[in-house]
Amino acid sequence: MNRFVLRSVKQCLVNGQRYYGSGGGLVYGSSVVGRSVHLSGQRNGVMFGGFEWRRMMSSAPASMEKAPSEKKEQEKEETKGKDIVASSYWGISRPTITREDGTVWPWNCFMPWETYKADVSIDLKKHHVPKNFLDNLAYRTVKLLRIPVDLFFQRRYGCHAMMLETVAAVPGMVGGMLLHLKSLRKFQQSGGWIKALLEEAENERMHLMTIVELVKPKWYERLLVLAVQGVFFNGFFVLYLSSPKLAHRFVGYLEEEAVFSYTEYLESIESGETENVPAPAIAIDYWRLPKDARLKDVITVIRADEAHHRDINHFASDIQFQGKELREAPAPIGYH
């Protein structure tokens, strides 16, 4: 009988057919094909076995059937992980910010309430006539520094503007930082000048972010920026510590030269020497320009910003030349 049962199981495994044998309720397993065999049924009052094939979890078809569900689970885990990264372990997340027309605000570097319309009616020809030794020192130093810059960039106005903005964004940050530390040391208010100077630095940085959308700096220009920034930051840091009034006067004259440089840039656009390409999206949103704004519109508002920075720094220098501290005069916060 045992031989008969074994022979029946063997033929069932080979042929996949139904056989009967005695021993109801018996289960036979095959390690070769990964199937289980169940004996059941009855014939003529005697228990016989009907061999039934059942899939195991390890079978290939079963794995293929479960692949889509496993893939979905994996995608859920990946999505969940991304959500965690976006929202942060600390629960920090930015709310959805929209424009006035309801579209999602695309920028993280500035918010809608930080944008503005530039005042382009400002007097562009205003000039502070040097009145003393420090004024003359600042004025002549700026004029001297302009010579190698003009020789290097010549009529490449876009590259010239890029270099100019990497320098112009430094003084506001240095001045704001040193006033911040002074306020902490002396337990004094700054009169708003910390914020005013940091606003200037941020505004100059936004000029640079706009210019690099139009001009792609070459490797040697990037190297030049690195060298100039390292020298200028440390030099201006020492200058502001030793004589803030001279430092602000220097920046005032530097901004006068910036106004002149951007005027040349505009003239090259108007003459057709420089193509009047569409304005970058970042410039349109930051200065609230029309959707069809061009390069000429961008350079016009940047030049107006530089004229405002000129006035702020000459004003700061005048306060200190009168023997007063900056905190004694209200700072021109939001002066664009």
Side-chain angles (χ1 to χ4, degrees):
M1 177 61 72
N2 291 336
R3 291 180 180 177
F4 173 75
V5 172
L6 291 175
R7 187 164 53 250
S8 298
V9 171
K10 180 179 178 182
Q11 290 188 4
C12 178
L13 294 175
V14 174
N15 300 325
Q17 298 176 353
R18 179 182 292 271
Y19 287 88
Y20 297 93
S22 114
L26 298 178
V27 178
Y28 294 85
S30 171
S31 61
V32 177
V33 294
R35 309 293 187 184
S36 65
V37 183
H38 180 68
L39 297 175
S40 63
Q42 182 175 0
R43 186 177 182 181
N44 296 328
V46 182
M47 297 293 297
F48 289 94
F51 296 98
E52 297 180 359
W53 294 81
R54 296 185 300 180
R55 288 178 182 163
M56 302 290 289
M57 291 294 291
S58 61
S59 65
S63 298
M64 293 176 63
E65 289 177 0
K66 292 196 175 187
S69 61
E70 291 177 358
K71 186 176 181 181
K72 289 180 180 179
E73 290 295 329
Q74 185 177 0
E75 290 176 352
K76 287 180 180 179
E77 290 296 327
E78 291 177 355
T79 305
K80 183 178 179 182
K82 291 178 181 178
D83 292 340
I84 291 173
V85 172
S87 61
S88 165
Y89 171 80
W90 305 105
I92 300 172
S93 61
R94 195 190 81 173
T96 302
I97 300 173
T98 59
R99 294 189 178 98
E100 293 180 356
D101 59 3
T103 56
V104 177
W105 184 255
W107 311 105
N108 291 325
C109 53
F110 65 99
M111 295 294 108
W113 52 87
E114 296 172 334
T115 64
Y116 63 97
K117 286 184 175 292
D119 177 17
V120 296
S121 64
I122 189 170
D123 185 1
L124 300 172
K125 297 181 179 180
K126 191 183 296 183
H127 167 64
H128 181 276
V129 179
K131 298 177 181 178
N132 50 52
F133 172 76
L134 291 181
D135 284 359
N136 278 287
L137 178 61
Y139 179 72
R140 294 183 184 280
T141 301
V142 170
K143 286 295 186 181
L144 185 63
L145 291 175
R146 185 180 176 98
I147 295 174
V149 174
D150 287 343
L151 290 175
F152 182 80
F153 291 106
Q154 297 183 358
R155 301 186 68 81
R156 292 184 297 146
Y157 298 109
C159 296
H160 188 178
M162 176 203 66
M163 175 59 69
L164 176 65
E165 297 301 344
T166 61
V167 171
V170 171
M173 181 60 65
V174 172
M177 176 186 68
L178 291 176
L179 287 180
H180 173 73
L181 296 176
K182 181 179 179 180
S183 176
L184 297 179
R185 288 195 310 271
K186 295 192 173 183
F187 309 101
Q188 294 175 341
Q189 296 288 345
S190 69
W193 280 96
I194 295 174
K195 186 172 183 180
L197 293 179
L198 292 180
E199 274 185 355
E200 177 187 317
E202 174 64 11
N203 185 245
E204 296 284 9
R205 190 184 66 83
M206 289 303 299
H207 292 177
L208 179 62
M209 295 300 101
T210 301
I211 296 298
V212 295
E213 291 290 326
L214 303 166
V215 180
K216 304 303 180 184
K218 299 179 176 61
W219 68 268
Y220 58 86
E221 291 172 336
R222 290 178 179 272
L223 186 61
L224 181 62
V225 168
L226 184 64
V228 170
Q229 187 182 81
V231 173
F232 184 72
F233 175 86
N234 289 284
F236 191 80
F237 180 85
V238 173
L239 177 62
Y240 203 96
L241 281 175
S242 58
S243 179
K245 57 187 176 185
L246 175 59
H248 282 293
R249 188 68 77 203
F250 172 84
V251 177
Y253 286 128
L254 188 67
E255 297 293 358
E256 287 185 16
E257 293 300 319
V259 172
F260 178 75
S261 296
Y262 279 115
T263 299
E264 287 186 327
Y265 200 169
L266 280 172
E267 290 173 353
S268 73
I269 296 173
E270 292 170 354
S271 66
E273 181 181 352
T274 301
E275 184 182 358
N276 192 20
V277 298
I282 190 171
I284 292 174
D285 284 337
Y286 184 69
W287 283 286
R288 302 179 188 173
L289 297 173
K291 298 297 182 183
D292 58 348
R294 313 292 290 188
L295 175 60
K296 181 180 178 180
D297 303 310
V298 175
I299 301 304
T300 300
V301 295
I302 291 179
R303 182 179 64 173
D305 286 346
E306 303 294 2
H308 285 86
H309 299 159
R310 171 202 65 194
D311 294 350
I312 290 174
N313 282 278
H314 280 315
F315 174 54
S317 184
D318 287 345
I319 294 171
Q320 293 171 324
F321 267 111
Q322 295 172 12
K324 299 179 181 179
E325 293 188 12
L326 288 181
R327 64 187 181 87
E328 297 180 52
I333 297 174
Y335 180 68
H336 295 296

